[in-house]
Amino acid sequence: MRAKTTFVTIPSFGALCIAMSAFGEVTPDNKEGNESAETEKIEVIGRALSLYQGNSAVFATRTSASIDETPQTIQIITQELIEDQAANEITDLFRSMSGVSYLNYGIVKMRGFEQESQVFYDGVKGDPFRTFTIPQLFNIEQVQTLKGPAGAAYGAGEAGGAINYVTKKPTHEQENNLEVRLGNKGFISGSVESSGPINQDASQRYRLGVYSSTEDSYRDNVEEDNLIVDLGYAWDVSDDSTLTLQYTHFDQLGERLRGVPIDENGNFLTYIAWNSNEPDDDQDFETDIFQANFEHSFNDWLSSNSTFRYYETEEIIKFHQARALVDTDDDGAFDEMTRRYQDQTRIYKGVDLSSYLVAELGKHTIVAGMDYHFASEDEVFYYANGVSNGVSNLSLTNPSYDSDISAYNATLNRDRLTELNQVGIYAQDMWRATDKLTVLVGARVDRFEEDFVDYISTDDNTSYDDIGYSVRVGATYDLNEQFKPYTSISTGLTPQTASDQEDSLDGDLFDPEEAQQFEIGVRSYLLDNRLNVNAALFHIDRENTVTADEDGNTSAIGEVRSQGFEIDALMDITPRWVANISYTYIDVEADEISEDSTVYRILANNPHNQLGLWTRYEFPSISSSIAFGAEYVGERTDRTTTYDAPFTIQPYTIYDLSWQTNWQDWKFQMNIKNLFDKEFALAGFNEVSGAVVGERRRIYLTASYDF
């Protein structure tokens, strides 16, 4: 066990406490005037909305417009839901995000498309976690998902949507919190947070947060330690200007964890704790992030928002990767796995600048701005392949972890640098055409340039640049108090990589991937606002997807189509009982599917049906609540890397349970995840790398103190 002493603080529970006290004080029988009665009615029956749904999201339109005026589906995971589910990292929240299915590490499928680079922090690109490290939630206030292409607002990105993490900022009121969490498998975490005014008029404010954790795993040879330091300073330079500075440091020591091999029906070929890694394998991830934001109001109709973000990440990974299944005794059953040892160093650097103006001109809200995105990825890999280079095979049933890494014959496999520069300008008009009709029109142009340098094979050095255009046109209509329909057409683009251009079969440059979504939906507020349902139908077409053949040459395949519908419901079942339910149906198809492993990968890990539930019942007399969660994910396929048919990934249903009690300034909480200790596969790679194994039963006990 890598022991680590921890002190901790966690987010502010102000909104939750206010909401709970409001629930207890409401008197439905109050008849003293219509205005007073209506006010109390809203406080009572809006509980589910106040707990588990935000009312506005600047991320969707870069304005303070309400969600009801946004003609595209956006979903907000609030701080209350993060806390109720004891979510330590983003994977803990996927069940509450409709249209999102797990792929691997922190990468997901959104509305059928792999979502990796379209990740934002406070509306700005610059994701330090990249491919193999899962985003942590200690310094996160909200998680927002904008569904479908977001090119008109944010430029190049994946077709399925974008995820935005809203970070915690210094507060005007003093808030201090100390938290300790214990769990099975050696889990221990501690945090401390303090935020509030520095001077008497609160024109200067601070935030200090420190989080540390350590844990083991149900998988062999897996441990993880985390350290997070989060600092913030806000200064009201004048009555019209605010400068906010933030610094965050993440340090994680863990393992790059692959799956467990499966057969064509998705059955595990060995016990699910099996791991191809040796005990000394590890993944050391460290990053430093600096962010500065300046908001200024020129007058009562014109304001500006500018953000600078910089990060530098080093990721050193030393691990044994499963390579091929072997039947050593020719009995028709695989009993060993060949392996490859990889020593990988990745250094990521990112610089992002974003600046825009918002003009409130009567019925028109105009947004105009520009942003710059730079991302650098420097990779150096050493490989030792198989027994001939000293890497022993590993038994599937009785593994012996005793390899001598110092005796491996490792050779340089990759030494390359990729640098991406992207500049975009955009404009948007939100026109409130009538009291009921709001029209949104936006357009953007991006220029991107990527340089690829291979220090091993100088013939592969190449550069690629292009220009792309994106638009969004949509409308919302306030039909009445109960129904608010919306519709939109949005487009997006993803530039091809310079390395793919180098491998083109005919030497011609590939056009960027282009995506277009048509969406129609309705937001409804029913049963005196006790039931809020967002239902959306969507159809996405993506063109110019590039695939590689067996010789490594690339060519463009045809169109990929994703269509389906999502339903997100928040309801007050009774004055004490609330529920949050998300359901998604999705169907993904691709042209030229025969004998094409890339198309198999596109279709993989997309369940037709997916359901998430979180429901909470309160006991005001004892200041307590109990919560229950469930998640169902339907049958999927793996993302095979051969030209054979993909394997099946079996469906699963798991359940969670939570108890929460408040006493004076303390909050005590127990969470049981995977209540019945089910063995299941979260997602699939292929028959060799196997299926990603879902967490077995985890129990967490939390004590949190506000002071």
Side-chain angles (χ1 to χ4, degrees):
M1 168 76 66
R2 305 183 189 102
K4 186 175 288 187
T5 305
T6 63
F7 292 97
V8 165
T9 71
I10 264 194
S12 146
F13 302 126
L16 177 60
C17 294
I18 293 172
M20 291 180 66
S21 62
F23 306 154
E25 294 171 0
V26 167
T27 307
D29 294 332
N30 187 343
K31 311 242 184 225
E32 297 179 4
N34 294 334
E35 181 178 350
S36 175
E38 178 67 19
T39 299
E40 294 196 355
K41 177 181 178 183
I42 291 173
E43 288 178 346
V44 174
I45 62 180
R47 292 194 314 118
L49 291 177
S50 65
L51 284 173
Y52 294 148
Q53 174 67 294
N55 295 319
S56 65
V58 174
F59 182 62
T61 62
R62 297 186 190 265
T63 73
S64 58
S66 69
I67 287 180
D68 289 342
E69 292 182 304
T70 304
Q72 195 170 345
T73 299
I74 183 164
Q75 187 175 11
I76 299 175
I77 304 296
T78 63
Q79 184 64 42
E80 287 73 26
L81 186 58
I82 293 173
E83 292 177 6
D84 278 4
Q85 296 188 3
N88 297 314
E89 55 190 28
I90 186 60
T91 54
D92 295 326
L93 297 176
F94 289 158
R95 75 152 50 121
S96 300
M97 301 163 70
S98 61
V100 173
S101 57
Y102 183 86
L103 184 57
N104 62 80
Y105 306 104
I107 304 173
V108 296
K109 289 288 191 80
M110 289 185 66
R111 288 192 169 178
F113 295 97
E114 188 171 327
Q115 190 277 342
E116 182 175 349
S117 64
Q118 196 75 327
V119 175
F120 297 80
Y121 286 80
D122 299 318
V124 179
K125 284 187 176 180
D127 181 17
F129 291 99
R130 307 304 291 264
T131 305
F132 301 115
T133 309
I134 300 173
Q136 304 294 299
L137 297 176
F138 168 68
N139 67 322
I140 301 303
E141 188 73 28
Q142 280 189 355
V143 181
Q144 304 171 345
T145 54
L146 182 63
K147 310 296 181 62
Y154 293 102
E158 283 83 5
I163 296 178
N164 182 48
Y165 296 95
V166 180
T167 61
K168 296 176 184 176
K169 310 294 193 303
T171 57
H172 285 82
E173 300 294 331
Q174 189 66 43
E175 298 176 359
N176 304 305
N177 178 268
L178 176 68
E179 181 179 286
V180 176
R181 180 172 294 169
L182 304 176
N184 63 332
K185 293 298 179 181
F187 181 89
I188 304 174
S189 75
S191 67
V192 60
E193 290 178 286
S194 181
S195 180
I198 295 175
N199 53 4
Q200 188 171 1
D201 64 358
S203 62
Q204 297 185 63
R205 302 170 296 280
Y206 78 97
R207 167 176 163 76
L208 167 64
V210 180
Y211 171 89
S212 183
S213 69
T214 184
E215 64 178 309
D216 295 326
S217 172
Y218 57 91
R219 297 287 301 276
D220 293 342
N221 305 327
V222 176
E223 300 174 8
E224 182 178 304
D225 294 335
N226 285 284
L227 173 65
I228 304 173
V229 178
D230 188 48
L231 307 176
Y233 169 73
W235 175 30
D236 295 333
V237 182
S238 68
D239 292 340
D240 302 315
S241 304
T242 299
L243 173 67
T244 303
L245 304 176
Q246 294 173 266
Y247 165 75
T248 307
H249 173 81
F250 288 91
D251 190 352
Q252 183 180 95
L253 183 62
E255 283 75 24
R256 179 175 170 182
L257 191 61
R258 288 293 197 180
V260 173
I262 57 174
D263 64 18
E264 60 183 8
N265 296 315
N267 300 306
F268 294 112
L269 297 180
T270 182
Y271 63 104
I272 66 170
W274 185 90
N275 187 2
S276 60
N277 284 346
E278 294 284 330
D280 293 332
D281 290 0
D282 60 53
Q283 174 175 298
D284 191 356
F285 169 87
E286 188 170 352
T287 187
D288 294 284
I289 307 143
F290 302 87
Q291 182 169 298
N293 174 261
F294 186 72
E295 296 179 278
H296 179 69
S297 178
F298 296 96
N299 48 47
D300 59 358
W301 61 269
L302 182 64
S303 62
S304 68
N305 188 306
S306 299
T307 302
F308 166 80
R309 183 174 174 86
Y310 171 81
Y311 71 88
E312 184 169 339
T313 297
E314 181 178 65
E315 191 174 52
I316 300 174
I317 310 174
K318 300 180 179 181
F319 76 109
H320 289 73
Q321 183 182 33
R323 297 297 297 164
L325 290 163
V326 180
D327 179 7
T328 60
D329 53 11
D330 296 322
D331 65 351
F334 295 119
D335 51 20
E336 285 189 0
M337 179 75 73
T338 66
R339 295 183 297 168
R340 177 170 69 190
Y341 178 70
Q342 300 190 37
D343 184 344
Q344 305 178 353
T345 299
R346 292 178 172 86
I347 297 177
Y348 305 118
K349 295 180 181 179
V351 177
D352 286 271
L353 296 169
S354 174
S355 184
Y356 60 93
L357 296 170
V358 179
E360 300 281 355
L361 304 174
K363 294 184 177 181
H364 294 268
T365 300
I366 307 294
V367 178
M370 63 81 62
D371 52 44
Y372 168 72
H373 173 65
F374 168 79
S376 170
E377 183 173 338
D378 191 352
E379 301 175 312
V380 178
F381 294 0
Y382 288 88
Y383 287 176
N385 283 303
V387 175
S388 61
N389 289 289
V391 186
S392 62
N393 292 352
L394 191 67
S395 169
L396 294 181
T397 56
N398 187 28
S400 176
Y401 297 107
D402 55 3
S403 293
D404 182 6
I405 296 174
S406 64
Y408 288 176
N409 179 26
T411 57
L412 182 64
N413 175 269
R414 180 184 299 179
D415 187 359
R416 66 189 189 186
L417 174 67
T418 305
E419 293 184 340
L420 172 66
N421 287 273
Q422 178 185 323
V423 177
I425 57 174
Y426 55 90
Q428 173 188 282
D429 181 14
M430 178 174 279
W431 174 36
R432 294 170 178 85
T434 70
D435 291 341
K436 293 182 175 292
L437 176 65
T438 300
V439 178
L440 181 73
V441 178
R444 178 181 173 114
V445 57
D446 281 283
R447 186 184 188 280
F448 35 83
E449 177 180 329
E450 187 175 78
D451 298 315
F452 174 76
V453 180
D454 190 329
Y455 295 106
I456 298 177
S457 175
T458 56
D459 292 339
D460 289 338
N461 299 342
T462 187
S463 296
Y464 165 63
D465 63 84
D466 206 342
I467 293 177
Y469 306 89
S470 304
V471 298
R472 175 169 60 171
V473 179
T476 61
Y477 191 76
D478 191 355
L479 187 63
N480 50 43
E481 291 185 0
Q482 287 76 41
F483 298 100
K484 305 177 189 301
Y486 62 95
T487 186
S488 65
I489 297 175
S490 57
T491 70
L493 59 100
T494 306
Q496 309 292 355
T497 65
S499 56
D500 279 344
Q501 300 288 3
E502 180 67 22
D503 294 330
S504 172
L505 276 172
D506 55 15
D508 293 335
L509 293 179
F510 297 118
D511 292 331
E513 289 182 354
E514 297 177 350
Q516 176 178 290
Q517 172 180 266
F518 175 74
E519 180 177 19
I520 183 169
V522 59
R523 299 179 177 99
S524 57
Y525 302 87
L526 308 172
L527 303 177
D528 290 333
N529 206 29
R530 292 194 298 271
L531 174 61
N532 167 223
V533 179
N534 182 87
L537 292 166
F538 61 88
H539 179 98
I540 304 175
D541 293 312
R542 188 181 74 180
E543 299 178 342
N544 304 326
T545 299
V546 168
T547 181
D549 63 19
E550 293 179 272
D551 298 322
N553 296 312
T554 55
S555 59
I557 64 172
E559 185 177 290
V560 180
R561 296 173 297 279
S562 173
Q563 56 189 1
F565 62 89
E566 299 167 354
I567 299 175
D568 296 293
L570 292 168
M571 64 184 74
D572 294 332
I573 302 172
T574 73
R576 298 180 182 180
W577 187 8
V578 300
N580 180 7
I581 303 173
S582 296
Y583 171 76
T584 304
Y585 172 82
I586 192 168
D587 183 54
V588 183
E589 298 179 347
D591 290 347
E592 301 181 17
I593 189 171
S594 61
E595 297 185 349
D596 192 320
S597 64
T598 298
V599 178
Y600 283 142
R601 176 169 177 165
I602 291 169
L603 301 180
N605 295 304
N606 278 320
H608 284 302
N609 296 282
Q610 192 168 356
L611 176 68
L613 164 70
W614 185 262
T615 181
R616 187 172 94 168
Y617 187 86
E618 295 179 355
F619 303 92
S621 61
I622 57 174
S623 301
S624 300
S625 64
I626 188 170
F628 175 79
E631 179 182 17
Y632 168 78
V633 177
E635 183 178 290
R636 295 138 290 151
T637 59
D638 72 356
R639 51 177 201 168
T640 183
T641 55
T642 71
Y643 291 103
D644 298 325
F647 285 5
T648 295
I649 305 298
Q650 297 179 1
Y652 67 85
T653 304
I654 56 173
Y655 305 95
D656 293 354
L657 192 65
S658 172
W659 174 272
Q660 188 179 112
T661 295
N662 291 274
W663 177 69
Q664 296 182 356
D665 295 325
W666 287 88
K667 183 174 76 172
F668 301 98
Q669 185 168 324
M670 178 183 71
N671 289 79
I672 305 176
K673 301 184 180 184
N674 193 356
L675 180 64
F676 299 110
D677 201 24
K678 183 180 180 62
E679 294 185 4
F680 66 101
L682 273 172
F685 284 90
N686 52 46
E687 66 273 22
V688 176
S689 295
V692 182
V693 182
E695 282 275 6
R696 299 292 297 273
R697 183 189 295 123
R698 300 300 295 260
I699 302 173
Y700 298 102
L701 302 175
T702 305
S704 177
Y705 176 62
D706 292 326
F707 61 97

